Amino acid sequence: MQLIQSGKYSMVYFDPEKDHFIKLFHPKPFDKLRYALGVRPHPGHNFARIAARLAALDIASPTIVEARKYRLVTENVHGAPLKQLILASEALQTRYLDILVAYYRHDIHCRGLHTDNFLVRDGKVFAIDLDAYKAPRFFKYSKREFLDCLKRSLKGSEAFLFQRLLARLGLDSDYRPIETRT
């Protein structure tokens, strides 16, 4: 196994023989308490739960081999980062915006919805890093926070995507509904 990424609360390995990614979670004590109390699902279980929600919305994610509390194994998507392809493809821009609109309307929240957290294979967009996603169980997350996080993520050459998203949602730059005049 090869160590791919080492983070503050997780380690990601790649098993070239099985062509699998293995993510091991090491949450801080406060988060472990939240998981134990059922306030938030364990990260491996959360990935599986979110993947099922996304599948119901026709949004692809990596195939899950194993999802335990603090261990997740997924198949390799063999995709290219959306960030490398999106500026040259109107179809990928449209699909990415479709996904963001679905997240917004179905209260799926994540602070890392930048184009690096999506892969493309054969024209199909895959959402990755689902363990960081949140979906309502007891309460809904702020749509303003969702949009603020996304605005911070889509900057530079990708900033136009945020403006296109607001237009698709019928919101102005202050996130207020645009009134239609007849």
Side-chain angles (χ1 to χ4, degrees), residues 74-124:
T74 59
E75 291 181 3
N76 188 351
V77 171
H78 292 284
L82 178 60
K83 185 172 195 70
Q84 295 175 4
L85 306 170
I86 195 163
L87 295 179
S89 173
E90 183 67 35
L92 289 176
Q93 292 170 23
T94 298
R95 181 61 184 143
Y96 177 63
L97 292 173
D98 289 344
I99 291 169
L100 296 178
V101 167
Y103 288 179
Y104 183 86
R105 291 194 174 137
H106 293 273
D107 297 306
I108 297 171
H109 185 80
C110 182
R111 292 179 182 205
L113 293 176
H114 49 80
T115 55
D116 277 326
N117 274 343
F118 293 86
L119 298 175
V120 179
R121 183 186 71 213
D122 301 325
K124 188 174 189 175

Side-chain angles (χ1 to χ4, degrees), residues 3-54:
L3 178 64
I4 301 296
Q5 184 179 13
S6 177
K8 192 171 182 180
Y9 301 111
S10 66
M11 307 275 278
V12 180
Y13 298 89
F14 178 67
D15 181 341
E17 290 180 23
K18 294 182 179 177
D19 201 24
H20 291 166
F21 285 96
I22 299 103
K23 191 167 189 177
L24 303 176
F25 303 95
H26 309 287
K28 56 189 172 186
F30 177 73
D31 285 337
K32 282 185 176 184
L33 178 63
R34 292 189 322 160
Y35 304 146
L37 294 173
V39 173
R40 182 143 161 65
H42 291 84
H45 295 162
N46 189 58
F47 189 105
R49 187 171 158 268
I50 295 294
R53 292 262 323 255
L54 297 186

